[in-house]
Amino acid sequence: MGWMERILIEVRPLFHLLFPLCVHWIAEEMTVSVLVDVTVAALCPSQSTCSQAIYINGIQQTVVGLFRVVMLPLLGQLADERGRKPLLLLTVSTTIFPFAILAWNQSKEFVYAYYVIQTVSNILSRGSIFCIAVAYVADVVNENKRAAVFSWITGLFSASHVLGNVLARFLPEKYIFSVSIALLIFCPVYMQMFLTETTNKRAPESDQDLSCLTNIVTIIRKRYASMRDAATIVVSSPTLRSISLVSFFYHLGMSGISSVLLYYLKAAFGFDKNQFSEILMMVGIGSIFSQILVLPLVNPLVGEKVILSAALLASIAYALLYGLAWAPWVPYLSASFGVIYVLVKPSTFAIISRATCSTNQGKAQGFIAGVQSISTLLSPVAISPLTSWFLSSNAPFNCKGFSIICASICMMVAFCIACKLKPVERSPEDIETPLLTDS
């Protein structure tokens, strides 16, 4: 049986999950490269550097990170208790509204409104969609095949980003938000019609008889107890504890870079929507190759730990090249390391999933996603003002990418911790069978 047939057999039960998610990722990605031009044009007309946009972006990321610390574990627990499908419908639907504002008007006031609505949307959807989707996959796929399936899913994620950037590269700017909204609306409609639920857990009937106030207090107590259980699951496992630290430091550096990178490239080299799309396409095309083709073949030979360490090492090179970029072609070279560093996500998912039984998949994935949110909360506090300072005429020395170089130190710490990870051992009673089969 060829590798393509194996992929099709494994992902066939997941088609009604992956198809709308791919459309969703395309719709979101096609707006990324144009958002920098739109926000800078609205907030700082006729300027290539916009400190206001950098600071607002950093504040937004900090607020989102603050609330996601609670929301991601909570949504993971709700996905375990109430089912994957309702939570997927909720999180996917929230992304429609921010882009609708920019499709209507792109003036300064509407850009501010976009940031407010986008902040609320990101609190609910950013990270949680992938987290819940991973829990759905864990319900459906055998444990020994999850690493390969996670890699194929992240490969589809990268393929969707490539398609989104192709659309952004060739579509006129005035049509981008309208097309994105149409695709975003399609996703929850499709999921509602075709997606199958994989859990049978529902809230007890007695909860419906409680008074409103009592019901709220009861829910809060249950959520606190569930979050405490999730923390216990992670802290009691050496593997989950270590991978939490790896995720924290990696996202501390990478989220800081992501929040300022396009603004840095615009200020340093005058890049616009077209160059942004080209760089993002390079990362996406390399990601497809590495996640769909390379990782499923290499993982059985070397294991998730080696892949994770190699990916973290590539992320360090990626950050340093961006930070030290001396010519417009260097960012393109840096983007080529995306072929390897994108493997951080599927290898992390695989390690978490292998170290957790099926009944706790949502809790573990959600808790560690919450740890990542803490890093997302902290990184803009340093990276945004540092970037703005070194892009200004008041910089103490000429190194516009100094903040990105500083962020690479966090990835170095993550790499050191990942090198000390031990192979995951699972007891025989933890081995599960899939809830959905190919029959």
Side-chain angles (χ1 to χ4, degrees):
M1 184 183 296
W3 63 269
M4 183 59 71
E5 292 179 62
R6 290 199 301 271
I7 292 177
L8 293 175
I9 289 173
E10 293 299 333
V11 303
R12 186 169 60 186
L14 302 172
F15 177 81
H16 294 310
L17 171 71
L18 299 181
F19 175 60
L21 284 183
C22 286
V23 175
H24 176 85
W25 293 329
I26 290 171
E28 280 200 317
E29 184 65 18
M30 66 187 294
T31 65
V32 171
S33 58
V34 75
L35 277 173
V36 175
D37 290 338
V38 169
T39 54
V40 170
L43 302 179
C44 306
S46 304
Q47 297 180 31
S48 61
T49 303
C50 187
S51 297
Q52 188 178 0
I54 294 173
Y55 278 115
I56 292 176
N57 201 56
I59 292 170
Q60 181 192 50
Q61 187 171 322
T62 300
V63 173
V64 170
L66 179 63
F67 282 93
R68 283 176 62 207
V69 171
V70 177
M71 287 303 300
L72 276 173
L74 176 61
L75 291 172
Q77 293 151 22
L78 286 172
D80 285 341
E81 298 170 8
R82 302 299 180 94
R84 319 299 189 200
K85 182 175 178 178
L87 273 297
L88 282 169
L89 288 172
L90 170 66
T91 52
V92 166
S93 299
T94 58
T95 58
I96 299 170
F97 305 104
F99 300 123
I101 293 174
L102 292 181
W104 183 11
N105 195 307
Q106 295 178 8
S107 65
K108 187 173 184 177
E109 293 76 14
F110 279 81
V111 167
Y112 285 136
Y114 157 78
Y115 275 117
V116 173
I117 303 300
Q118 178 73 354
T119 300
V120 177
S121 172
N122 284 349
I123 289 170
L124 292 172
S125 65
R126 180 162 295 180
S128 58
I129 294 176
F130 220 114
C131 174
I132 298 166
V134 166
Y136 188 101
V137 171
D139 295 336
V140 177
V141 180
N142 279 316
E143 180 195 335
N144 59 354
K145 297 178 180 178
R146 286 179 194 163
V149 174
F150 290 154
S151 72
W152 296 332
I153 292 173
T154 49
L156 288 173
F157 179 78
S158 299
S160 302
H161 279 202
V162 171
L163 291 175
N165 286 305
V166 169
L167 288 173
R169 177 66 177 82
F170 296 106
L171 268 179
E173 187 173 314
K174 62 181 179 180
Y175 296 124
I176 287 178
F177 291 109
S178 300
V179 173
S180 176
I181 291 168
L183 295 176
L184 289 171
I185 292 173
F186 167 81
C187 299
V189 173
Y190 183 95
M191 283 184 175
Q192 177 62 34
M193 294 175 63
F194 299 108
L195 188 63
T196 303
E197 181 58 78
T198 59
T199 63
N200 297 317
K201 300 178 182 179
R202 293 293 181 269
E205 294 288 335
S206 59
D207 283 356
Q208 300 175 1
D209 300 329
L210 299 175
S211 67
C212 181
L213 181 59
T214 306
N215 196 23
I216 291 173
V217 172
T218 302
I219 290 173
I220 292 174
R221 287 177 178 173
K222 287 181 178 179
R223 294 296 162 261
Y224 173 75
S226 295
M227 291 174 68
R228 186 176 57 189
D229 291 342
T232 302
I233 291 168
V234 172
V235 173
S236 62
S237 167
T239 299
L240 293 178
R241 200 164 56 236
S242 297
I243 203 67
S244 296
L245 292 173
V246 170
S247 296
F248 174 81
F249 284 105
Y250 173 76
H251 283 86
L252 185 64
M254 191 58 75
S255 62
I257 294 172
S258 300
S259 66
V260 302
L261 179 60
L262 299 186
Y263 294 99
Y264 157 69
L265 293 176
K266 187 176 183 66
F269 302 110
F271 283 9
D272 60 15
K273 173 179 76 75
N274 294 336
Q275 284 80 40
F276 295 151
S277 299
E278 290 165 0
I279 288 176
L280 294 172
M281 276 191 285
M282 283 187 62
V283 176
I285 291 170
S287 302
I288 297 169
F289 175 76
S290 59
Q291 293 175 129
I292 293 182
L293 301 180
V294 177
L295 184 58
L297 298 176
V298 174
N299 184 66
L301 301 176
V302 300
E304 294 94 350
K305 175 192 170 181
V306 174
I307 294 172
L308 177 62
S309 299
L312 289 169
L313 196 59
S315 72
I316 296 168
Y318 161 88
L320 289 175
L321 271 175
Y322 266 128
L324 297 171
W326 58 90
W329 58 268
V330 179
Y332 289 88
L333 175 62
S334 178
S336 65
F337 282 90
V339 175
I340 304 174
Y341 84 74
V342 294
L343 298 179
V344 170
K345 183 176 286 188
S347 55
T348 300
F349 285 149
I351 291 171
I352 297 170
S353 182
R354 188 180 290 273
T356 313
C357 64
S358 62
T359 55
N360 292 324
Q361 288 289 326
K363 292 184 178 69
Q365 298 283 358
F367 183 87
I368 294 177
V371 171
Q372 296 169 2
S373 296
I374 296 176
S375 62
T376 304
L377 155 69
L378 295 175
S379 61
V381 175
I383 298 298
S384 293
L386 200 59
T387 302
S388 181
W389 185 22
F390 276 85
L391 289 178
S392 71
S393 58
N394 299 322
F397 52 88
N398 184 22
C399 183
K400 294 184 177 180
F402 182 72
S403 61
I404 297 177
I405 296 173
C406 293
S408 69
I409 297 173
C410 298
M411 271 96 86
M412 295 177 189
V413 175
F415 171 74
C416 293
I417 298 172
C419 289
K420 297 180 180 180
L421 272 173
K422 296 181 180 179
V424 182
E425 297 292 341
R426 289 283 299 277
S427 59
E429 61 268 21
D430 285 340
I431 306 301
E432 314 96 13
T433 56
L435 295 180
L436 300 180
T437 62
D438 297 335
S439 58

